[in-house]
């Protein structure tokens, strides 16, 4: 997501910070800024746009002083504007903070601080932090005490760096569920969210642990546990890797990095802005006809979402491929129609064209996107952000699992609003939602060897057949898209029940058929389909529950996965498909980050 850097030392902070910020550009960002401290004054410059342009316009690298913080922003709360860009400051303009992460309780903190006469200028969650510290300073606390106290009030994820004119030779930093590293130098120390920002300056690094805070000056640093306030030692490690390897966090490709990031991105996608989720649920509830519209992977998420809306909230909806929306439904739209558009980029031309058309017919437009400030956020009456951070690989991976998770939360909210399911069912589903990041972590750990073996077995196959039933149809479709767009092996995917109506005729000796069989109400029927295919010579690959010995026995190749709620299986069962697709591409010598003929965002019709 956002990139943060801090510096304290003998050099000119702003110059070093801007160079480090440029090292973070690969992460994707919409705005940037720098704050320094000099002669008891804070200097802050920031804007939306590219670092080079902002620097040319505002002279970010000319700010005076030997201590400073800097930021590249990927918007999550508030549009990508100058005022929302970091660093953020307090009322007295003496404290500057940069932040990467999502604060869940910022609305409540903002209200409390506003009641105490603090003035806010941005729409960000981050801005509460300098004001919380200011509040502590007002009460006579030291900067360290005030910072620690503020951290203890924050719920959500953060990597933070802060400077204050009260202590112009110090840099404060802290982390919770977002990485933060101290770069140890001679005559300086730094802090950054990403080792790429430090590699130019030093290879000696200290990796802060979760809920660590650090007080850093040019010749020393102290680390303190946020929960207990006690000091702690963390080892200094020599990081001798190239910038290119560091950008991918040690993974050979961005796609693999993004697949492995999913436990964290899913955690962030559970931290939605509740008032927007409520609004989305209310507006969906008002519609007479509901469409879920998306393209590619986002369409597959719509398909999963339609099962969730129907089964949890008892709300039927039409999942529609964006380019087919006008031809199929254009003539039936009206003021009682709600269109929920799902688009990672928020810029897909097929989606925007469908929305334009729907808007002209007075439909209510809603959005789910990963990109603040995108066209979708401007045309939607209400939208929700999935908080997955920038995705560099062309293939959608972490953004798919987050889309499904956000749609599941929307369906649950709607179920509550409509009073359609029992309290215990809602509670159970909520518990399962919260477990998802950990289960995906488990999936990644448990399947890493098997997916490679399977990719080897599939590598020379002329085509692959994928089947799912119920919500697993969306998993099968997403598996098909991943494998096809990355390995260029033609794939077909069908709802399993449909295969006997034609597709089964392609089955002959050793044709690979991948079955998505979570332990849901369709398991028995799926076993029937596996038998059917095997009887015709198919090589049966089964993705099923890790404890399902019957399926294991039946399969020619089995990938066992941990249990979750059936409506959340598109998340957990999509992960092995992502990995299989990745390994197929690598084994075949293709670049998984840039599949041929494809663009990350398709802005043409
Ligand atoms: O930005 P969007 O979610 O609207 O993009 C939609 C599709 O172009 C996108 O999902 C595409 O299918 C990806 N290559 C899938 O990996």
């Amino acid at each position: 997501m956002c990139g943060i850097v801090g510096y304290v030392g003998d050099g000119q902070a702003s110059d070093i910070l801007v160079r480090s910020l440029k090292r973070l550009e690969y992460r994707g960002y919409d705005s940037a800024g720098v704050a320094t401290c000099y002669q008891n004054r804070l200097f802050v410059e920031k804007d939306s746009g590219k670092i080079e342009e902002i620097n040319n316009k505002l002279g970010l690298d000319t700010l005076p002083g030997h201590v400073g913080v800097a930021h590249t922003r990927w918007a999550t709360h508030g549009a990508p504007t100058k005022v929302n860009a970091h660093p953020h400051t307090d009322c007295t303009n003496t404290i500057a903070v940069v932040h990467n992460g999502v604060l869940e309780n910022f609305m409540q903190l903002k209200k409390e601080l506003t009641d105490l006469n603090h003035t806010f200028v941005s729409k960000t969650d981050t801005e509460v932090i300098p004001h919380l510290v200011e509040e502590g300073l007002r009460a006579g606390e030291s900067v360290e005490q005030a910072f620690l106290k503020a951290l203890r009030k924050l719920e959500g994820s953060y990597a933070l760096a802060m400077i204050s004119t009260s202590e112009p030779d110090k840099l404060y930093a802290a982390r919770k569920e977002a990485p933060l590293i101290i770069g140890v130098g001679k005559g300086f120390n730094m802090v950054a969210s990403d080792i790429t920002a430090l590699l130019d300056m030093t290879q000696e690094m200290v990796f802060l642990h979760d809920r660590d805070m650090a007080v850093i000056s040019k010749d020393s640093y102290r680390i303190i546990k946020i929960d207990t306030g006690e000091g702690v030692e963390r080892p200094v490690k020599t990081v001798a890797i190239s910038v290119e390897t560091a950008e991918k966090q040690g993974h050979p490709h961005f796609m693999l990095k993004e697949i492995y990031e999913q436990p964290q991105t899913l955690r962030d996608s559970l931290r939605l802005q509740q008032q927007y989720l409520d609004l989305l649920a209310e507006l969906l509830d008002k519609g007479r006809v509901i469409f879920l519209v998306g393209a590619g992977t986002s369409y597959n998420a719509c398909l999963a979402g339609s099962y969730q809306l129907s089964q949890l909230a008892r709300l039927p909806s039409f999942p529609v491929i964006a380019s087919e929306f006008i031809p199929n439904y254009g003539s039936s739209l009206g003021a009682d129609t709600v269109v929920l558009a799902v688009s990672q980029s928020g810029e897909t031309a097929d989606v925007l064209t469908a929305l334009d058309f729907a808007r002209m017919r007075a439909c209510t437009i809603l959005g789910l996107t990963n990109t603040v400030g995108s066209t979708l956020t401007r045309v939607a009456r209400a939208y929700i952000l999935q908080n997955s951070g920038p995705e560099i690989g062309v293939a959608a991976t972490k953004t798919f699992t987050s889309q499904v998770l956000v749609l599941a939360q929307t369906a649950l909210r709607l179920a509550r609003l409509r009073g359609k399911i029992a309290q215990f069912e809602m509670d159970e589903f909520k518990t399962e939602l919260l477990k998802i990041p950990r289960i995906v972590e488990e999936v990644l750990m448990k399947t890493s060897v098997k997916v490679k073996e399977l990719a080897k077995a599939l590598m020379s196959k002329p085509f692959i057949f994928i089947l799912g039933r119920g919500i697993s149809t969306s998993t099968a479709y997403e598996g098909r898209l991943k494998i096809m767009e990355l390995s260029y092996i033609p794939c077909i995917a069908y709802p399993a029940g449909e295969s006997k109506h034609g597709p089964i005729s392609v089955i002959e000796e050793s044709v690979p058929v991948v079955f998505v069989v979570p332990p849901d109400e369709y398991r028995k029927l799926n076993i029937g389909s596996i038998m059917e295919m095997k009887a015709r010579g198919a090589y049966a690959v089964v993705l099923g529950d890790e404890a399902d010995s019957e399926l294991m026995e039946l399969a020619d190749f089995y990938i066992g996965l941990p249990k979750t709620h059936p409506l959340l299986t598109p998340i957990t069962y999509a992960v092995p498909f992502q990995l299989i697709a990745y390994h197929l591409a690598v084994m075949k010598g293709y670049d998984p980050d840039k599949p041929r003929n494809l663009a990350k965002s398709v802005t043409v019709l």
Side-chain angles (χ1 to χ4, degrees), residues 295-298 342-346 348 351 394-396 403 481-482 485 602:
T297 286
S298 295
V342 178
S343 171
Q344 185 282 129
S345 61
T348 298
V351 174
V394 164
Q403 284 169 341
L481 179 52
K482 287 292 89 81
E485 70 181 332
V602 184

Side-chain angles (χ1 to χ4, degrees), residues 253-256 258-259 297 392-397 478-491 574-596 598:
H253 298 96
F254 283 110
M255 182 188 175
L256 200 58
E258 283 156 3
I259 292 174
T297 286
I392 292 168
V394 164
T397 51
E478 180 55 10
R480 167 189 61 187
L481 179 52
K482 287 292 89 81
I483 293 180
M484 212 156 54
E485 70 181 332
L486 291 161
S487 70
Y488 316 147
I489 300 176
C491 291
V575 175
F577 278 114
Q578 298 169 350
L579 287 166
I580 294 163
Y582 169 81
H583 289 300
L584 277 172
V586 173
M587 285 173 187
K588 289 175 141 253
Y590 304 138
D591 181 352
D593 285 339
K594 292 192 192 98
R596 69 184 180 205
L598 292 178

Side-chain angles (χ1 to χ4, degrees), residues 360-413:
M360 299 303 283
R361 277 141 193 90
C363 304
T364 302
I365 310 294
L366 306 177
L368 162 57
T369 182
N370 194 30
T371 318
V372 185
S374 59
T375 311
L376 175 55
T377 63
R378 291 197 295 275
V379 299
R381 170 119 163 250
Y383 66 88
I384 189 121
L385 293 166
Q386 58 183 85
N387 292 342
S388 321
E391 190 171 61
I392 292 168
V394 164
T397 51
K398 61 176 184 170
T399 54
F400 171 73
T401 49
S402 285
Q403 284 169 341
V404 177
L405 189 59
V406 174
L407 289 167
Q409 291 170 83
T410 311
L412 180 63
R413 197 50 68 100

